Amino acid sequence: MDKRPGSLSRPMLSMMALVLASVASHAVAAAPSAKAAPAHNPLIWADVPDIAIIRVGKTYYMSSTTMHMSPGLPIMKSTDLVNWRMASYAYETLADNEALRLENGKDAYGKGSWASSLRFHNGMFYVSTFSATSGRTHFYTTRDPDHGPWKETSFEPAIGDHSLFFDDDGRVYLVYGNARIEISELKPDLSGIKPGGLHKVLVENVNAVFGADQGGLKGEGSQLFKANGRYYLVNIASPGSRWARSVIIHRADAIDGPYEGRLALDDRGIAQGGLIDTPEGKWYAYLFKDNGAVGRIPYLAPVTWKDGWPVLGEEGKVPMMLDIPAGGQGASGVSGIVASDEFDHRPGAPKLPLAWQWNHNPEPRYWSLTKRPGYLSFVTNRVVSTLTEAPNTLTQRTFGPSSSASTSIDVSGMKDGDLAGLAAFQKRYGFVGVKMSNGAKSLVMVSADSDHPEEVASIPLSGKTIHLRVECEFEPAPEVARFSYSLDGKSWTPIGRPSRLTYTVPHFMGYRFALFYYSTKTAGGRVDFDYYRIGASSSPH
């Protein structure tokens, strides 16, 4: 026997090995009974509206609306319908005109590109949208949605709220309309409506399902699917007695009808979307809900089939807990679509993480990640009067139930009349930042929650760098943004007052965190942002 301290004899070692093997085998046998945490609604507690989802093999792809943002028409990817990450954007800029350049008093707020349709056909990914800003219907194609490139085809006019559909015989169509839903056959190359092709009304009035109570939201948001040999047309509408989206589904045995319809879901305004199946044969409806200042947020509803009809939800309701493992979903489900950024640009890497979008078209000559390595540098090139007119404002989504963003800015290169900072951005925005006036810098908190920008607080600033933080609280009510600053990045001091967060139709988008720099007197100044870091809000409500 080995007499060294702490040693064990071979028989004892053999016995322990048997015990450990027994314990391990019991643990393996017990593992399947440990139930994984279920996923929850909302899927993503952030502004991801007008979603379209497809499945290619075991992978899901989702497109959404970001309107006046560039790059635009985001494409997201998932392997479980729950956890989504950014894959690419279908376009860098939608078009080049005064509205998208924020020039001559014009803008594309609440416009740009709207609800998209996403398809996969013969090895090719297709995503389509329409735009009153460009006046066109746009199609983008690629074989690799993660890396692109996306190729564009477009034609006039802008065909609203359409659903692109490839039938089994290879013919391709657009289904579209408001209240009256029509179908038009396209040329095979998507360059326009096919002369002499199928064109007819599929549903004369979506709202007829409400009987005499038809005066509400007119049927829109078409998405067309084929399942088990039948065609299913999904729309939203509401009765005249109230405004709350409901899901309406029509079905037919042939693509051109006749279609019969019914109310498929009427629950808390959760609506607009379509149907998706899993590789295992389960079905779900993907939808969204207006959720105050954070925006329009995605929900998933289980679907069963009865008499050839999809039945959405459980007893007419969208459940908060789902029969899918949560994976890494977390409280907000946003980990794959928002991102902190230290602005460390590595050769060969994308210039900015996909989480970033510019407010309107960017002006590339006036921002840089290489002018000062490790920083995002901005130089102004024009004079504007307010934040909503400022070019090169860089944004990411806020998220619920609460979220925060912080940054640090070197403001030593500012000129008189300049403002730079971090905003909770929408039409009724609020921000904390630095203002240069009469040769002196001051730390300011500005709120436009009354529709007119108001300088609520101002503190003299002597240093050349400052840390700023914005915290957005979406639940419980009231929804507010709070602002603070730090001289050392560790100890934070509140400034001003909470700014009320209000979703406005002119912008038609949930609040965004925004890094900004603009000049009101003389262009040519410069600021450098050191980092952008996100997290949950730490402020008590």
Side-chain angles (χ1 to χ4, degrees):
M1 182 181 292
D2 193 337
K3 297 296 185 181
R4 287 174 294 178
S7 65
L8 295 171
S9 67
R10 286 186 180 178
M12 293 179 69
L13 286 168
S14 298
M15 185 177 293
M16 288 189 66
L18 287 170
V19 171
L20 290 171
S22 176
V23 170
S25 67
H26 279 82
V28 170
S33 65
K35 192 171 183 179
H40 59 76
N41 276 317
L43 277 187
I44 302 173
W45 201 329
D47 194 51
V48 187
D50 302 334
I51 52 179
I53 297 178
I54 59 171
R55 177 175 61 83
V56 180
K58 295 183 178 181
T59 304
Y60 304 92
Y61 295 88
M62 174 168 70
S63 63
S64 179
T65 295
T66 51
M67 293 178 288
H68 48 276
M69 296 292 173
S70 295
L73 219 176
I75 309 298
M76 291 150 276
K77 187 175 182 179
S78 174
T79 56
D80 60 8
L81 269 179
V82 176
N83 297 281
W84 295 88
R85 67 165 180 84
M86 289 296 306
S88 63
Y89 291 94
Y91 62 78
E92 286 297 316
T93 56
L94 175 71
D96 186 20
N97 56 39
E98 288 184 331
L100 286 166
R101 294 194 302 264
L102 284 173
E103 290 180 351
N104 296 323
K106 297 180 181 180
D107 64 67
Y109 287 115
K111 300 171 187 173
S113 66
W114 281 16
S116 59
S117 182
L118 183 61
R119 300 292 181 187
F120 180 75
H121 178 68
N122 287 345
M124 187 74 74
F125 290 84
Y126 296 79
V127 62
S128 60
T129 186
F130 68 101
S131 173
T133 310
S134 69
R136 303 181 74 84
T137 301
H138 300 260
F139 301 89
Y140 303 89
T141 59
T142 187
R143 293 189 181 275
D144 185 357
D146 282 277
H147 304 100
W150 290 85
K151 178 184 177 183
E152 181 187 8
T153 299
S154 68
F155 62 78
E156 294 179 331
I159 299 178
D161 268 18
H162 66 250
S163 181
L164 178 65
F165 185 80
F166 293 90
D167 210 349
D168 297 338
D169 58 6
R171 296 168 72 182
V172 57
Y173 305 91
L174 284 186
V175 177
Y176 55 93
N178 179 259
R180 171 188 283 184
I181 308 301
E182 301 178 55
I183 187 170
S184 289
E185 188 170 358
L186 297 177
K187 298 176 183 178
D189 62 358
L190 307 181
S191 61
I193 303 297
K194 180 180 178 179
L198 175 65
H199 175 82
K200 68 176 295 187
V201 174
L202 297 184
V203 178
E204 185 64 41
N205 182 9
V206 172
N207 294 61
V209 299
F210 298 118
D213 192 11
Q214 297 181 20
L217 171 70
K218 300 300 182 185
E220 60 183 36
S222 294
Q223 292 201 32
L224 183 66
F225 305 88
K226 192 173 186 179
N228 303 317
R230 280 196 173 112
Y231 298 83
Y232 294 87
L233 173 63
V234 184
N235 293 101
I236 58 168
S238 71
S241 54
R242 57 183 169 79
W243 199 104
R245 293 182 181 91
S246 301
V247 180
I248 311 298
I249 295 181
H250 287 77
R251 74 175 187 185
D253 293 326
I255 192 168
D256 59 349
Y259 282 81
E260 56 176 330
R262 61 169 58 178
L263 176 66
L265 182 71
D266 184 7
D267 179 29
R268 293 167 286 166
I270 300 173
Q272 189 156 341
L275 305 171
I276 191 73
D277 66 340
T278 71
E280 296 76 28
K282 297 172 70 172
W283 285 83
Y284 294 90
Y286 53 87
L287 310 162
F288 72 78
K289 178 181 183 291
D290 292 283
N291 215 69
V294 78
R296 297 177 288 169
I297 63 180
Y299 278 68
L300 201 63
V303 170
T304 55
W305 291 85
K306 184 177 181 181
D307 300 327
W309 287 96
V311 179
L312 278 56
E314 296 174 353
E315 298 182 355
K317 303 294 181 184
V318 177
M320 297 307 291
M321 305 305 292
L322 296 165
D323 60 346
I324 308 175
Q329 183 183 22
S332 300
V334 296
S335 62
I337 64 170
V338 298
S340 296
D341 195 349
E342 298 298 316
F343 301 124
D344 294 326
H345 180 61
R346 296 177 302 280
K351 288 186 175 181
L352 287 166
L354 291 170
W356 288 113
Q357 288 179 284
W358 299 97
N359 177 35
H360 290 66
N361 290 1
E363 299 186 347
R365 291 178 296 168
Y366 300 101
W367 71 271
S368 173
L369 288 169
T370 57
K371 185 174 291 186
R372 182 180 178 185
Y375 289 78
L376 171 65
S377 301
F378 286 116
V379 174
T380 60
N381 70 313
R382 68 170 94 159
V383 172
V384 299
S385 59
T386 66
L387 174 57
T388 54
E389 299 171 359
N392 280 357
T393 296
L394 189 60
T395 79
Q396 285 195 34
R397 293 173 176 87
T398 60
F399 52 93
S402 65
S403 50
S404 69
S406 59
T407 192
S408 173
I409 318 178
D410 182 334
V411 295
S412 56
M414 292 178 69
K415 291 191 172 186
D416 208 55
D418 288 1
L419 290 100
L422 176 63
F425 186 67
Q426 226 257 14
K427 182 175 185 291
R428 296 183 178 180
Y429 59 81
F431 70 73
V432 57
V434 176
K435 177 181 179 181
M436 184 79 161
S437 181
N438 298 319
K441 297 183 184 72
S442 57
L443 185 65
V444 297
M445 181 260 152
V446 171
S447 175
D449 60 6
S450 63
D451 260 347
H452 302 286
E454 173 190 2
E455 188 176 295
V456 176
S458 177
I459 302 170
L461 180 67
S462 57
K464 71 173 187 177
T465 61
I466 188 71
H467 300 263
L468 308 172
R469 177 183 288 169
V470 176
E471 297 174 281
C472 292
E473 297 158 11
F474 299 105
E475 191 177 88
E479 298 176 286
V480 297
R482 303 177 191 273
F483 308 88
S484 56
Y485 68 95
S486 173
L487 299 177
D488 59 9
K490 298 176 183 178
S491 176
W492 294 87
T493 302
I495 182 172
R497 60 168 171 79
S499 183
R500 189 69 179 263
L501 301 176
T502 306
Y503 188 97
T504 69
V505 173
H507 278 213
F508 208 12
M509 181 176 287
Y511 273 80
R512 294 222 159 195
F513 292 122
L515 304 178
F516 68 87
Y517 178 43
Y518 65 95
S519 297
T520 65
K521 292 184 178 179
T522 305
R526 171 179 161 182
V527 297
D528 300 324
F529 288 86
D530 187 13
Y531 64 81
Y532 173 84
R533 297 170 188 161
I534 57 172
S537 172
S538 59
S539 297
H541 204 72

